[in-house]
Every structure is written in C-alpha cells, then in structure tokens.
Amino acid sequence: MAELNKQEIKPAKIRLKEIAEKATQDAWEAKKRGEKIGWCASNFPQEIPTTLGIHVVYPENHGAAIGAKGGGQRMCEHAEGLGYSSDICSYARINFAYADLKECPELNIPQPDFLLCCNNICNCLIKWYENLAFQLDIPLILIDIPRLDAFECDQDRIKYIRAQFDDCIRRLEEITGKKWDEERFKEVMAISQRSSKAWLKAVDYMKYVPSPFSGFDIFNNMAVACVARGTLEGAEAFEQLAREYEENVKNGTSTFKVKEEYRVLFEGIACWAHLSYTFKTLKNFGINVTSTIYGPAFSFLYQNLDELMAAYSYVPNCNIFEREVELRVKDAIKNKVDGAIIHMNRSCKKWSGNLYELERQLREQAGIPTVMFDGDQSDPRAFSEAQYLTRVQGLVEIMAANKRQKEEQNRE
Amino acid sequence: MGMDIGSTASKCVIMKNGREIAAQSVVPLGTGTSGPERSLEGVLKESGLSQEDIALTAATGYGRNSIPQAKLSFSELSCHAKGACWLFPAVRTVIDIGGQDVKALTILNGRLDQFVMNDKCAAGTGRFLEVMAHVLDKELSEMPELDARSKNRVDISSTCTVFAESEVISQLAQGVDICDLVAGIHRSVARRAASLVKRLGIIEPLFLTGGVAQNSGVVRALEKELGLTVRTDPRAQLAGAIGAALLAWEQIREEE
Amino acid sequence: MNKMEKILDELRFISTHPKQQLEQYLAAGKKVVGCLPYYCPEELVAAAGMVPFGLWGAEIQVSEAKRYFPSFICSILQTTLELGIKGEFDRLTAVMIPILCDSLKGMEANWRYGVKKVPVINVAHAQNRKMQAGLEFTVSQYRKIKKQLEKLAETPITDRAIAVAIKTYNEQRGVMRRFLAAAGKHPELISFADRNAVVKSSYFMDAASHTAKVRELADLLEQAPESKHQGPKVVISGITADYSGLIKIFDDCQIAVVDDQLTQGSLRFRFDVPLTADPIVGLAEQIGQIEGCPVLFDPGKQRGQMLIDLVKQSEAQGVIFVQTKFCDPEEFDYVPLKSMLDKEGIPSLLLEGDKQTTNYEQARTAVETFCEILG
C-alpha cells in the first residue's frame, strides 16, 4: 500500500516517462542476460512479444527521441553518406545510421537479433526492415496488413492476419526458445484492453473547454502507448493520467499554462526536431491543441481474436480514406476546435498522399478553417520557422474573425 | 586546347606538350552567352597563337557540344579527374563544387574510377552561395574574409535554398553578425559536399576543384566537416579545361 | 530487315499513341479496364471479354493533380491522375489500383475524388506471397475482383475463359522472353527505344495481337547474323526506364542493353502463370514467384543476386539503375544492391527519371562518363 502511494505522488507524465525508459532498459538487461531481443514496428501486435516475454525496442520511437534531442540532422547525414536518399523516411535514415554506428549520444538501444515488421501504417517499413535484415543478417518476420478497401475489416483480411499472427508466434518460439502460453496471452489481452481504454479516456479529456491539459503533452505521453501498452504499469499510469485530468477539470486548471484562446486539431506526426518552436508559437497565440489522431491511433480495442486482428487494421493510414476523414471530423466536432493545423510531413508519403483532400473534407464537414505547413518528423532541415509562424498567424486571424462574428451573433 | 564551358563560367587553357600551361582564360559567363567565344579569344591572345596553331581542341562542361572549334568532347567528370591529377599528382578523391553542380570523384591509377553527382537541387552549389551573398548584400569575393572574422557561427539548417534564404533573412532581422552567418552558409555548402563524397568513400589525399574552391571559407569548413586536409590550387577552377587539353594531347600521341 | 522495321514502326506508333489505341477499342464496342502499376490480374479482364490497358503515366506537366498529391509523390501516379482529372479516361469501364507501395495506397482515394466518373477496383496482393495464407488471401482478392468484373462486363467469367486467357498471356510471355533475349544480342538492330516500345505496346494491345507481331520480330532476330556492335554492354535495373530523354541518351551513347531487370520490362514476362485446376490459384501463385521487383516483399534481397546473375549471364560490363524520382522502394533497394555489385566488382550508375523532366543534360554527362569508365 505504501509503495502504491509513493508511485501516486509522482505525476503521471513522470511515471510514463520512466515506464518508457524502463522498456528500453529492460531490453538492454535482457540482451546482457543473453536473451534475443528484437526491433519492432510501432503498430506491430505487441501482444505477441509481450505474451512470449520477449523484449523489443522500437526504432521509430528511437528516431523520434533522437530528433527531439537534436541528433536528427547528424544521423540523417550519416545515412545519406551511406547512400540513402534524403527522400526516404527520416526515422529509417536515422535507424540505418544507428545500425551502422551502433551507438549515438542521444539515446542507445540494443542491437537486434530479429526484426518484427508490420506494414499497417506504411510499406516503407517493409523496405526498411528488409534492408536491416540484409545488413545485419538476422531473421525478419512480417505481418502484412493490407490497407482496407471498406469501412470494416473483412473476413479475408482477418483470416490472413490471423495466419500470420500464428506463424509469427511459431517463428519467434524457434528464434528465442520462449514458449507461448494461452493463459498469459489472455492476461496480456486484458491488460492491453485496460491500457487502451485508459489511454483513450485520458486523451478524451481534451473535449472539455478549456482543456485540462496541453495537447502537445500527448506527444510525450504517447510513447508508452506504443512501447508498453501491454504492461500493468502502463495501464495504471494512464489511469492516473485520466484522474489528474479529471482533477484539473474540477478545479478549472490545466497543464496548458496560458489562457486557451483558440482550440485546434493538430494533424500529423510531431516535428520532433522543432517541438519547442512549434509548441511555443501556438502558445504565444493562446492556441491549445485539443484534437489529434493519437488517441484512437494507439487504442486497440477488441473482445475476441478476430477483433484483435481487425484492430490492427484500423490504425491511421491503414483505413479507407472515408474512415480516416470520419475519425478527424468526429473528433474535431466533439472537441470543439476552432481550426486545424496540418503537418505536411516530407518523410511520410503515406500520410501526405491524401492530405490535401483530407484538408478539404475537414473544412467542409467540420466547418473549420485550416492551414498546412511543411515539416518533417525527425529531419530538422525540412522545416522553416518563418513559414510556420506566417501560416499559424494567418489561421489565428481567421479564427479571431470567426470568434468575433460568433460573439456578435450571440448578442443578437 | 581545353575548353570547359559551364553554366556560369567559360574556362580555356592552352597546354604545351602536355606539360605546361601556355595560357589560360576565365570569363564569368557560361554556355549560351558570349562567354565561350570571349574565353577562346582571350586564351589565344595571351598565348600569341592562332586557332590554326592549336593541334587539337577538346571541350567539356554543360556547353561542350556547341563549340565548333572543338573536335572532341569529354564529360566534365573525366576532365576534372584528369586535371586534378595534373594539378596534384597524388590525388585520390576530388570534389568539384561548380555553379549548379556538385560532384565527387575517386581516382585510381591516374584515371576516373567512380563518381557521384548531387541530386535534385541548387543547395550546396555555387548558385546557393550567390543567392546568399545577394541576401547579405555582399560580393562573393568578400565571403572568405567575413567568414574569417566569425566568432560564433550561426548554422543554417534548411536543405532547401528557398527556406535557407528565409532563415538568413530572419537571422539578419534579429541582428546576428553577418560574419557568423557567412560562416554558417559556408558550413551548409561544406556539409552538402561532405555528404556527397562520403557516399563514395573518401581516400586521401582529397582535392577541391571548381569555382567555389577559391573560397577559403568553404575550404576550411569542408576540412572541419571531413576532419581531413582539403587541398586546392589557385588554378583549381581550370581543372576541367586542363583535363580536356590533356585528353586532347593523349589523343594526338595515340594517333602518332 | 524491311519487315522488321515495319513491325517496329507499328509497335513504336502504338507505344507513343496509346490514346488512338484506346479509341480503336472503344469504337469496336470493347470495354476497357485501366491497369495501374505494378501488377494487375489482366487475365481476368481478358476472360471477361474486356481489354486491359496499362496506365503508367505520361510525359506531361502536372497541374490539376497538385490539388491531390504533394510534389514528392512519383510522377507516374501524378501524371496518371492528371490525365484522369482532365477526363482522358472517362470512357474506361473501370481502373484497377493495386496497393503495392505507399503512393499507390493514396492513389485510390485521390482517383475517386478527382476523377469520379471511372469506378475503382482495388487490387490487394499479399506481401507474404510465398506463405499459404498469403496465397489464399490473394486468391480471395482475385475472386472479389472477378465478381466486380463480371458486373461491369455484364457477363459471367467462367474458369474456362480464365484458363484460355492465361494460356494466351503465357504465350505472350514466352514470345516476349524470346524477343528480349534476341534483342539483347542484337543492339545494332534493336535500339533501347525499340526495346522499350515493344514492351510498352504490350500495355496497350490485347495479348494475342501483340504476341503475333512480336513473334515475327523474334523469328527475324533469331536468324540475324552475329552482331558486331561495339558499344558498352549494360544491364538496366529498376521499375521503369520509360523516360524518352534517358532512352535517347542510351542510344546516342551506343549502349547495348543486353538484359534488364525492369518491372515495366523483362519482369512482366519472366514468370509464367502456372496451370492449376483452379486458374485463379495459378494467377495468385505467379505473384509468389516474381523476383527482382522492389515492391514485392524480398526478405533475402534476392533482387541483388538475381541482378548479379543477369550481368554474368549476359556478359554485361555494368549496371545502370534507372530510378523514378521520389520512388521509396527503389531508394531503399539501391544501397544494398550497390554494395552487392561493388563486392562483385560490377560498375554501376544511378540515374533518376521523372515524367515531367524535359532536360536530362546532367544524366547525359553521367552516362557519357560511365561509358568512358567502362572503356
């Protein structure tokens, strides 16, 4: 009981940071013990390694962290020196550099003995992991989740995903010597559900006006939703996060430290390499992010195996376009946004390919003004402070005018 | 005679017996202008020779196929490799930063072995430096000296020339020292060149050719980026023309 | 040789005037189904009595498509969408759009919103194509497509009809393999422009008609006296080399393309569809057999060893990679492939192609230099 209370004293965001760091630490320790560890794609069914008790680390998260800590350019340049085009995903470039250098000052992750790839978010991952398998001469397991062509995931896809899920388990048992346990699997699924629901609940607090937290906090807190959502600590930390936000709502406080003048939907991956600038610019205008895709993105809700398979096809960038639009529009309306800021991410062709139409649909269906800016997730060179500021300022002017007009209408 | 007709400059040299430069001429106008003709006239005038006295003329560079006097044409890569070897016989890796091109070459046994060229855009080329100098309202020739006075280099992070321009303007508006900006601009160019040459794998000694080689600020920045000595020569801008002349010379020797 | 020139002329014309071909089919009352890169079950279209028509972009400038695609999506898709938005494909019965790369994954929605008139048939292949479950998935998708085609053609598609179509297409594959092999031995008779035209025309003609013409070409070539061509021998690798500016440079430099590893090239014809009791299973199995293509899952990087083997078998002196600008799969593949070639001491050159590029001067310099190096 005393232990629990000690944990409670730490704010949830600190707990979450520690849990994310611990996930990497655990992998290091497993490696030192002689266990095989893997590199894993961000939206791979974590239920598999978690149930088997296998430790994995996530190169995409690693790339985000390196970008945020200022190492993005150096690592990208190293990859470009190896012959990689600057056109490809900056997470991949950073990871190729890391696989070559074996270490970097920003953050180190243990080298992999096997690779777990899932292309639900993009096919770029397939090429990335193919190269790693070749370069490092280690086994690669791919769970192929074909982009949906309808709102719902069909039985053919579910069957295919399920077969690959089972095949992955067999191969991992061979590679690591660990054994699958159905009871443990049930436990992991239950914890993952608890965790997903808690994450969704916490993120949902953004709907309050004013929001009890700064939207950019999501970018920090979500690491656990990616790397440790199958853990009890993760579930508990998210539940604590939700409780903290509940408190804030009651007290009328927020982690967003200035008056919330405007509420926006932020579309896209964060510009990790320019997190501070992109946030501060918004804050200076009193803009809080109160809608992002990252709630549903990392909540995998299922009640049986079929639904688990389907859940991994409902991730952003795997849905049919109309479902992607619906996710944004519903959230924008529920969370009462005044406008949207859209990140055209040079690194991500999948996310950018329909972004212009998404913007149009968002404007029309949610009835909000939008602006788009050029940036990149972890390569600092593809962003212009002047462009971002100008465009945000433009959006503010429109939102201000809309606000004034509404106030006038209310008075009449 | 060797003629290197580039996008922004026309360079000619006359070589005697494949061993010495009898005359040279550089005109800062490239293909499609009066540059090539003026450069040709200039080099003939300086040597006191006439076109008939020239045994064979070879051309290289962007405008190599539009020179009536040149019976031969070679790619500028082969010519820069040849010219760099003549200027610096021990050379193994050459970087050429031209008006709109950046190239890296490796030399093996005095010949071009492998090469790689810049992709897509103007960043990291002579053009980039021109644009930046213009933004700063300085002459290109002033850049090295400004760089030398820099105390706190300000890095320009954008890879896009247009974004970089806006970054520099932003910095100027905030009162940043011009010398520090120039140092940052030079570093940008050096980083692009370094990135390109690393794709080939550097074998020392390294030699820099092309118009930008005259900018000691870029040379120093490149040395810092690569962590090795970057050699150059005041005649480095002529490397292509020298190479072309030498290749013409070799052709004559073969025929004899 | 007159006969050869005549056939080549016809195929050159068809490959550069696809619109006229399309008009002909439509005028004859045929229904035409557009097929986007990289692999579509064309046999199913043919079995329905419709004509499959390749849509691999065009050398035009893009303006309308910019409302849908950002600049860093490949020009094959941008220009195809451009033509679609402008109404060029309005009389197609449908288009088939695979999801084999991230840009293609975005093409479908952009087409539906931008082109509207022409319905989309989604083509989902299993990337785990050698796994039984993967095969079954591809089969399930092809069955779904078959139903959609039946509806559009207003006629049922029998297994027999599919089997007949497969036989026709396999015949085309066999004849094209003969032609490509013979063309590789006779660069003095078949320029790269012609080689590309013969391949490209296959996308705009029904298989039987195309096969008839190419068979004649192959027969003539196989009888031609040994070539005395002097130019450097090269293998070209990539998704497509259909960039007229680059093709002209190769021919200007007297390059002999002795073999290729092009998706829009030899790979299209290299692997026959196996004859199976259920013909749709055969179609799906073929996808599992194709190697050397950047968009099909290749965990062992077999594309590299295959390329080395092609170079050795054809006694080529080097490899030219023709990479489509902004093509992620090719950009990823390039690094390990280059290192494999370097280890074998095989010189290589990387060139970029773009459907919107008109000036390839930098590429010309690079190709000339490469030829100088190959000596």
Side-chain angles (χ1 to χ4, degrees):
Chain A
M1 263 307 146
E3 264 306 310
L4 247 175
N5 287 337
K6 219 158 98 183
Q7 286 288 50
E8 282 275 336
I9 289 167
K10 274 189 212 158
K13 76 172 190 198
I14 305 282
R15 277 180 85 183
L16 287 167
K17 184 164 179 281
E18 290 174 354
I19 292 168
E21 284 166 4
K22 185 168 177 292
T24 304
Q25 248 330 100
D26 287 349
W28 273 115
E29 279 158 25
K31 184 97 190 188
K32 285 194 187 99
R33 286 195 298 271
E35 286 177 32
K36 297 224 158 81
I37 69 107
W39 280 1
C40 185
S42 63
N43 283 258
F44 186 92
Q46 53 82 24
E47 288 81 351
I48 298 179
T50 310
T51 301
L52 285 167
I54 295 170
H55 293 273
V56 294
V57 285
Y58 294 83
E60 290 157 69
N61 281 63
H62 190 214
I66 291 174
K69 290 175 203 263
Q73 183 169 348
R74 190 189 74 246
M75 295 293 269
C76 283
E77 285 175 344
H78 184 84
E80 287 151 28
L82 294 172
Y84 283 106
S85 171
S86 59
D87 182 52
I88 67 171
C89 168
S90 52
Y91 285 165
R93 274 179 282 153
I94 289 172
N95 189 237
F96 286 135
Y98 187 76
D100 183 51
L101 294 165
K102 311 291 184 211
E103 59 171 7
C104 77
E106 286 79 18
L107 179 66
N108 283 321
I109 56 174
Q111 295 294 314
D113 302 294
F114 59 86
L115 301 161
L116 299 178
C117 185
C118 184
N119 66 331
N120 45 5
I121 61 169
C122 70
N123 273 15
C124 172
L125 272 162
I126 297 181
K127 303 305 296 179
W128 173 357
Y129 277 55
E130 267 181 24
N131 278 17
L132 284 174
F134 177 75
Q135 188 183 337
L136 304 172
D137 195 17
I138 53 179
L140 162 58
I141 301 174
L142 167 68
I143 293 187
D144 169 37
I145 300 188
R147 194 214 69 206
L148 300 183
D149 57 15
F151 237 80
E152 302 297 324
C153 184
D154 55 278
Q155 267 309 120
D156 292 318
R157 275 172 172 75
I158 288 173
K159 188 165 166 233
Y160 176 42
I161 299 168
R162 174 71 195 270
Q164 296 174 88
F165 194 95
D166 292 339
D167 182 67
C168 175
I169 294 169
R170 270 194 305 273
R171 288 184 67 187
L172 276 177
E173 283 182 324
E174 273 171 37
I175 293 169
T176 65
K178 306 265 187 174
K179 283 271 158 275
W180 186 259
D181 183 318
E182 276 300 318
E183 285 309 309
R184 176 64 181 138
F185 182 42
K186 288 197 178 91
E187 196 181 34
V188 167
M189 285 196 288
I191 295 172
S192 303
Q193 288 310 286
R194 183 177 158 188
S195 189
S196 284
K197 288 185 182 133
W199 171 244
L200 259 180
K201 182 174 180 187
V203 171
D204 198 45
Y205 276 94
M206 280 178 145
K207 70 184 176 218
Y208 287 98
V209 183
S211 165
F213 68 95
S214 168
F216 264 63
D217 286 354
I218 286 194
F219 293 136
N220 294 321
N221 295 332
M222 74 186 195
V224 167
C226 172
V227 312
R229 65 177 177 277
T231 66
L232 203 50
E233 303 83 65
E236 285 173 352
F238 286 143
E239 284 160 1
Q240 183 186 336
L241 192 66
R243 283 194 296 275
E244 285 174 7
Y245 292 158
E246 180 70 50
E247 269 302 298
N248 287 0
V249 170
K250 280 205 188 88
N251 302 335
T253 51
S254 175
T255 66
F256 187 66
K257 293 301 177 196
V258 302
K259 178 162 185 287
E260 190 181 88
E261 296 283 356
Y262 305 103
R263 300 162 63 86
V264 297
L265 179 155
F266 187 94
E267 172 67 21
I269 302 176
C271 290
W272 298 111
H274 295 279
L275 211 48
S276 177
Y277 184 81
T278 47
F279 171 63
K280 286 205 178 107
T281 304
L282 298 187
K283 186 174 159 193
N284 289 343
F285 288 110
I287 299 174
N288 191 14
V289 173
T290 62
S291 175
T292 77
I293 202 59
Y294 284 104
F298 283 113
S299 321
F300 300 85
L301 299 173
Y302 46 81
Q303 299 196 12
N304 54 54
L305 277 182
D306 270 8
E307 286 182 10
L308 191 165
M309 306 304 151
Y312 278 95
S313 76
Y314 292 131
V315 306
N317 291 315
C318 198
N319 293 302
I320 195 176
F321 178 68
E322 282 70 18
R323 190 167 175 140
E324 301 281 0
V325 171
E326 192 186 79
L327 279 168
R328 274 80 170 171
V329 170
K330 280 198 166 143
D331 207 57
I333 293 173
K334 169 171 72 70
N335 293 8
K336 301 188 173 60
V337 305
D338 305 306
I341 295 176
I342 303 174
H343 174 197
M344 170 67 84
N345 184 347
R346 184 61 182 85
S347 262
C348 188
K349 294 196 169 83
K350 181 59 192 68
W351 206 317
S352 304
N354 298 124
L355 212 52
Y356 289 138
E357 187 60 37
L358 182 78
E359 181 181 29
R360 284 188 286 269
Q361 292 300 319
L362 196 52
R363 283 187 181 179
E364 198 183 296
Q365 294 186 39
I368 52 173
T370 65
V371 283
M372 199 180 280
F373 70 95
D374 293 304
D376 190 282
Q377 53 213 34
S378 281
D379 185 342
R381 301 169 291 178
F383 174 79
S384 162
E385 286 185 356
Q387 192 209 60
Y388 183 74
L389 176 60
T390 305
R391 294 185 186 190
V392 167
Q393 197 155 19
L395 182 67
V396 167
E397 285 159 15
I398 300 174
M399 292 192 296
N402 288 349
K403 207 175 183 181
R404 277 196 299 277
Q405 198 181 41
K406 217 170 174 189
E407 280 162 9
E408 277 165 28
Q409 283 172 356
N410 287 343
R411 264 184 252 129
E412 285 162 16
Chain B
M1 182 186 312
M3 301 177 68
D4 180 2
I5 312 303
S7 56
T8 52
S10 304
K11 291 88 60 182
C12 289
V13 301
I14 295 177
M15 293 193 76
K16 187 174 176 184
N17 295 327
R19 273 199 296 277
E20 48 182 276
I21 296 178
Q24 65 196 54
S25 166
V26 177
V27 172
L29 288 169
T31 189
T33 70
S34 61
E37 217 184 292
R38 283 164 55 180
S39 185
L40 176 62
E41 277 168 22
V43 79
L44 285 174
K45 189 153 175 236
E46 192 189 307
S47 63
L49 298 168
S50 67
Q51 189 64 47
E52 292 69 39
D53 296 324
I54 307 294
L56 190 56
T57 300
T60 187
Y62 194 50
R64 65 188 174 285
N65 293 319
S66 53
I67 308 294
Q69 293 86 351
K71 296 270 185 316
L72 296 173
S73 80
F74 298 98
S75 83
E76 66 238 50
L77 291 128
S78 300
C79 291
H80 271 268
K82 202 87 187 143
C85 283
W86 188 84
L87 288 167
F88 188 52
V91 72
R92 292 300 306 278
T93 307
V94 179
I95 300 178
D96 170 37
I97 305 180
Q100 60 180 30
D101 259 349
V102 186
K103 312 184 250 309
L105 336 163
T106 52
I107 314 283
L108 191 59
N109 301 325
R111 295 186 60 85
L112 175 63
D113 182 40
Q114 291 206 55
F115 68 95
V116 67
M117 296 169 78
N118 67 309
D119 44 17
K120 300 184 189 84
C121 63
T125 67
R127 184 88 189 97
F128 180 82
L129 286 171
E130 266 175 45
V131 169
M132 293 303 143
H134 180 80
V135 169
L136 298 173
D137 197 19
K138 295 284 171 201
E139 295 295 321
L140 272 175
S141 52
E142 297 177 74
M143 304 274 274
E145 191 253 337
L146 288 166
D147 183 336
R149 300 207 315 255
S150 159
K151 297 221 166 47
N152 262 322
R153 185 189 66 218
V154 169
D155 275 335
I156 310 298
S157 69
S158 308
T159 34
C160 165
T161 304
V162 175
F163 276 11
E165 206 180 324
S166 119
E167 238 185 294
V168 168
I169 291 171
S170 207
Q171 298 279 20
L172 275 179
Q174 289 171 42
V176 164
D177 190 322
I178 254 188
C179 299
D180 294 333
L181 275 175
V182 173
I185 288 164
H186 286 165
R187 185 168 189 229
S188 273
V189 173
R191 282 185 111 148
R192 292 289 275 190
S195 179
L196 197 71
V197 77
K198 279 177 192 166
R199 276 162 59 183
L200 270 187
I202 304 168
I203 309 172
E204 290 193 83
L206 176 63
F207 191 76
L208 184 63
T209 65
V212 175
Q214 293 168 12
N215 181 328
S216 57
V218 171
V219 176
R220 274 196 308 274
L222 191 54
E223 284 185 325
K224 267 221 196 81
E225 270 311 300
L226 296 173
L228 1 120
T229 312
V230 173
R231 293 168 177 79
T232 187
D233 185 294
R235 297 165 295 176
Q237 195 184 16
L238 299 169
I242 293 170
L246 287 171
L247 287 168
W249 171 248
E250 280 179 9
Q251 177 93 341
I252 296 175
R253 293 271 305 282
E254 246 181 64
E255 284 166 7
E256 281 167 2
Chain C
M1 291 310 123
N2 257 337
K3 210 172 179 194
M4 199 186 294
E5 263 310 297
K6 191 169 170 296
I7 300 171
L8 284 173
D9 242 356
E10 284 176 42
L11 296 179
R12 276 181 212 128
F13 186 81
I14 290 172
S15 74
T16 49
H17 296 80
K19 192 167 173 177
Q20 245 158 294
Q21 266 302 96
L22 178 58
E23 294 294 333
Q24 268 179 26
Y25 284 121
L26 292 170
K30 289 270 181 200
K31 287 184 170 166
V32 181
V33 174
C35 298
L36 265 69
Y38 309 82
Y39 307 99
C40 289
E42 292 176 43
E43 285 90 338
L44 293 180
V45 175
M50 302 191 282
V51 180
F53 204 83
L55 300 181
W56 281 65
E59 287 178 3
I60 58 171
Q61 296 301 309
V62 167
S63 54
E64 301 301 315
K66 288 183 188 191
R67 288 186 289 123
Y68 294 91
F69 278 131
S71 60
F72 48 90
I73 302 293
C74 85
S75 56
I76 295 175
L77 296 182
Q78 297 237 36
T79 55
T80 301
L81 184 64
E82 181 76 16
L83 291 171
I85 294 172
K86 289 187 164 139
E88 294 291 326
F89 302 131
D90 277 359
R91 286 177 301 151
L92 290 179
T93 298
V95 290
M96 287 190 164
I97 307 183
I99 53 170
L100 290 165
C101 71
D102 290 330
S103 298
L104 266 175
K105 287 188 190 187
M107 181 64 165
E108 177 250 342
N110 287 344
W111 183 277
R112 284 194 288 109
Y113 284 77
V115 184
K116 296 185 181 68
K117 266 197 184 144
V118 186
V120 171
I121 297 176
N122 282 291
V123 183
H125 300 96
Q127 284 287 1
N128 263 321
R129 52 213 181 86
K130 297 181 192 289
M131 203 187 267
Q132 183 59 28
L135 185 62
E136 284 171 15
F137 177 72
T138 304
V139 167
S140 76
Q141 297 306 291
Y142 280 1
R143 290 205 206 288
K144 201 158 123 177
I145 292 168
K146 176 176 163 239
K147 286 208 181 79
Q148 292 172 66
L149 289 172
E150 284 174 329
K151 213 161 156 217
L152 291 164
E154 293 170 301
T155 182
I157 301 173
T158 62
D159 275 2
R160 169 138 178 77
I162 302 174
V164 167
I166 289 173
K167 189 158 175 282
T168 308
Y169 272 80
N170 275 351
E171 227 170 276
Q172 181 187 44
R173 291 178 180 106
V175 166
M176 277 301 292
R177 287 195 296 267
R178 277 180 59 211
F179 165 75
L180 291 170
K185 292 198 169 73
H186 291 281
E188 82 285 7
L189 294 173
I190 305 289
S191 63
F192 188 59
D194 288 337
R195 187 186 173 105
N196 190 64
V198 174
V199 167
K200 201 168 169 185
S201 54
S202 77
Y203 286 89
F204 306 138
M205 297 169 75
D206 63 280
S209 308
H210 183 255
T211 304
K213 296 205 190 292
V214 180
R215 184 177 280 116
E216 281 197 70
L217 274 180
D219 288 343
L220 288 166
L221 278 173
E222 283 164 2
Q223 289 162 28
E226 198 178 321
S227 162
K228 293 203 170 43
H229 183 95
Q230 290 296 320
K233 295 175 171 184
V234 151
V235 170
I236 299 198
S237 175
I239 287 176
T240 178
D242 185 31
Y243 298 104
S244 60
L246 286 179
I247 293 173
K248 181 166 193 305
I249 292 168
F250 294 150
D251 285 337
D252 285 349
C253 291
Q254 305 278 317
I255 285 175
V257 177
V258 291
D259 207 342
D260 76 71
Q261 189 191 45
L262 292 165
T263 301
Q264 196 183 29
S266 286
L267 296 187
R268 177 166 162 73
F269 310 103
R270 196 179 199 89
F271 306 90
D272 281 348
V273 171
L275 301 175
T276 47
D278 178 348
I280 288 196
V281 171
L283 288 175
E285 277 181 14
Q286 190 220 24
I287 298 295
Q289 290 170 5
I290 301 177
E291 294 301 342
C293 179
V295 300
L296 293 175
F297 185 42
D298 180 12
K301 275 310 198 247
Q302 290 188 55
R303 182 180 168 204
Q305 189 55 50
M306 180 188 172
L307 183 56
I308 292 169
D309 292 342
L310 287 179
V311 168
K312 290 188 173 153
Q313 282 158 21
S314 60
E315 294 177 359
Q317 296 159 264
V319 169
I320 296 183
F321 290 103
V322 178
Q323 205 178 82
T324 296
K325 194 161 165 179
F326 301 125
C327 180
D328 280 353
E330 297 201 271
E331 288 161 352
F332 275 98
D333 269 2
Y334 175 67
V335 174
L337 255 50
K338 172 144 198 316
S339 89
M340 288 169 84
L341 290 177
D342 283 350
K343 266 208 189 81
E344 294 283 330
I346 299 172
S348 66
L349 172 68
L350 174 64
L351 296 175
E352 248 187 9
D354 187 305
K355 295 287 180 188
Q356 296 183 82
T357 299
T358 47
N359 183 321
Y360 279 102
E361 276 315 302
Q362 203 194 49
R364 183 177 287 276
T365 302
V367 173
E368 287 179 2
T369 309
F370 190 57
C371 292
E372 286 162 21
I373 290 177
L374 293 181

